[in-house]
Amino acid sequence: MMEILIAAAVGLLLSMFGTPLAIRLFSRRGYGQSIREEGPSGHHDKRGTPTMGGTVIVIAALLGFTCAHLYSRTLPTPSASLVLFLMTGLGAVGFLDDFIKIYKQRSLGLRSGAKALGQLIVGAVFAILVTRFPDGHLITPADTRVSFLRDFGPSIGIVGFTIWVLIMIVGFSNAVNLTDGLDGLASGATGVVLASYVLIGNWQLRNNCTTQLGPNCYWVRDPLDVAVVAAAVLGALLGFLWWNAPPAKIFMGDTGSLALGGVIAGLAITTRTQLLLIILAGMCVLITLSVIIQVGSFKMTGKRVFRMAPLQHHFELSGWAETTIVVRFWLIAALCAAAGLGLFYVEWMPKQ
């Protein structure tokens, strides 16, 4: 388990001490955040705050993962490599979006079509490769079946599975992106999900069918390395949160939010807990639903359900302080993660 600790510790330290360097560098180059005019008025004070801090998270996580493997003197596994590819690829799409915002000094970066195309290309490569690379037991990083606590039901075929994976990747990367509206909100909400996957990967390792055949064992490839990925990203995220907590000295930008959404989707797919992610990341799901409800209601009735969407801005306009919203949403995110972990472990409870 030393690999998990090393990945988390290195990611944490590199991010915590690397983020101030990024703040100074981005400030000197004028890489400041643009603010939507139609957004809450209190956000205008944040104009010019350095953004693209997600680059620090991605780099620190990759280096943390690398250090863990240098310690164990092992090569990265296909499962972990694919999740890191997904994180880095979506982070690159987000980086382009952030850079265009900065270069053109506007709140909108890549056009929605170009941004979606980038997400789909990265997601499609991941979806195709994740069903390959069988190990000695013929277990691949993912199977062409839908999963909850494990795979269930018949195969939906490679085409159906690819479409399902793309929905997950685009959905959760955009969900984290929508959650990233207040200082530290997305960092805390995704941090508890990553912590959950450290525990899930470790539990699957200890109850893996290849080493301990039993009625509830898991046919999962590379559970330890997947937990190492989750730990490396979690450590990097916590180090970044030190500077991103309100009042934020730096924002993660789309670079960070798309990368984090991608990594939690990748972890769900490779641990075969796809539908469970809806509960684990319940806070991000609720925020996304608020946008869907708001847009749907306005188009159908011409009326708005919330003062402003996403949900966190509704409470801002209702008079809640930003720190109050962030902390309370963190608590809800932690409760969602706890509920998801409870469901994950419930099948191991003695049945009488």
Side-chain angles (χ1 to χ4, degrees):
M1 298 303 105
M2 279 299 296
E3 295 95 329
I4 294 175
L5 295 176
I6 290 170
V10 173
L12 173 67
L13 292 173
L14 288 177
S15 183
M16 181 170 288
F17 293 105
T19 301
L21 300 178
I23 293 171
R24 288 197 289 271
L25 174 63
F26 294 162
S27 296
R28 280 202 304 269
R29 293 182 175 272
Y31 292 173
Q33 178 72 38
S34 297
I35 304 296
R36 291 185 306 161
E37 292 300 327
E38 65 272 20
S41 58
H43 286 209
H44 294 168
D45 294 337
K46 300 180 182 183
R47 190 185 305 274
T49 301
T51 187
M52 293 198 303
T55 53
V56 179
I57 298 172
V58 173
I59 293 171
L62 291 173
L63 291 175
F65 178 81
T66 301
C67 288
H69 275 275
L70 289 175
Y71 167 81
S72 64
R73 298 183 182 180
T74 58
L75 293 174
T77 62
S79 301
S81 300
L82 286 169
V83 175
L84 291 174
F85 160 77
L86 184 60
M87 175 186 74
T88 307
L90 291 178
V93 174
F95 182 86
L96 285 174
D97 188 52
D98 287 333
F99 188 79
I100 291 172
K101 291 176 186 175
I102 293 165
Y103 183 75
K104 295 193 174 182
Q105 287 297 297
R106 65 187 192 191
S107 60
L108 297 176
L110 282 172
R111 295 185 182 276
S112 58
K115 189 174 180 180
L117 179 62
Q119 292 172 295
L120 289 173
I121 291 172
V122 174
V125 174
F126 174 86
I128 292 169
L129 294 179
V130 80
T131 56
R132 301 174 185 268
F133 307 106
D135 63 8
H137 301 276
L138 300 181
I139 306 173
T140 52
D143 191 79
T144 55
R145 292 187 291 170
V146 178
S147 61
F148 180 46
L149 304 179
R150 59 185 73 246
D151 290 333
F152 67 89
S155 168
I156 59 176
I158 188 64
V159 175
F161 182 74
T162 300
I163 294 171
W164 168 238
V165 168
L166 287 175
I167 291 171
M168 282 195 64
I169 291 170
V170 174
F172 279 100
S173 59
N174 287 329
V176 177
N177 187 237
L178 290 171
T179 304
D180 186 32
L182 298 180
D183 297 355
L185 179 55
S187 301
T190 52
V192 294
V193 180
L194 290 165
S196 300
Y197 276 112
V198 174
L199 296 175
I200 287 172
N202 186 50
W203 184 257
Q204 289 179 333
L205 172 68
R206 294 176 180 275
N207 298 278
N208 197 279
C209 295
T210 61
T211 57
Q212 185 175 328
L213 193 61
N216 291 323
C217 65
Y218 300 96
W219 290 102
V220 176
R221 173 165 185 168
D222 315 317
L224 174 59
D225 220 18
V226 169
V228 171
V229 170
V233 182
L234 175 61
L237 186 60
L238 291 177
F240 177 79
L241 181 57
W242 183 268
W243 305 100
N244 182 234
K249 301 293 189 298
I250 187 171
F251 301 137
M252 68 171 66
D254 282 18
T255 308
S257 59
L258 294 188
L260 290 172
V263 80
I264 62 173
L267 290 169
I269 292 162
T270 52
T271 58
R272 310 193 182 205
T273 56
Q274 298 154 18
L275 295 176
L276 184 65
L277 181 59
I278 297 172
I279 301 171
L280 290 170
M283 186 72 260
C284 298
V285 174
L286 287 173
I287 287 174
T288 304
L289 285 175
S290 73
V291 175
I292 295 172
I293 292 169
Q294 184 86 326
V295 173
S297 174
F298 187 76
K299 286 187 175 181
M300 289 188 292
T301 67
K303 297 181 180 179
R304 293 179 172 86
V305 176
F306 306 103
R307 293 173 183 266
M308 181 179 287
L311 187 61
Q312 60 269 30
H313 298 321
H314 167 80
F315 289 105
E316 271 193 291
L317 295 182
S318 298
W320 289 26
E322 181 174 358
T323 50
T324 301
I325 300 169
V326 170
V327 172
R328 287 178 178 173
F329 276 34
W330 280 353
L331 291 173
I332 295 171
L335 290 172
C336 290
L341 283 174
L343 284 172
F344 181 76
Y345 288 121
V346 74
E347 66 176 341
W348 288 86
M349 294 177 64
K351 297 176 177 61
Q352 297 179 354

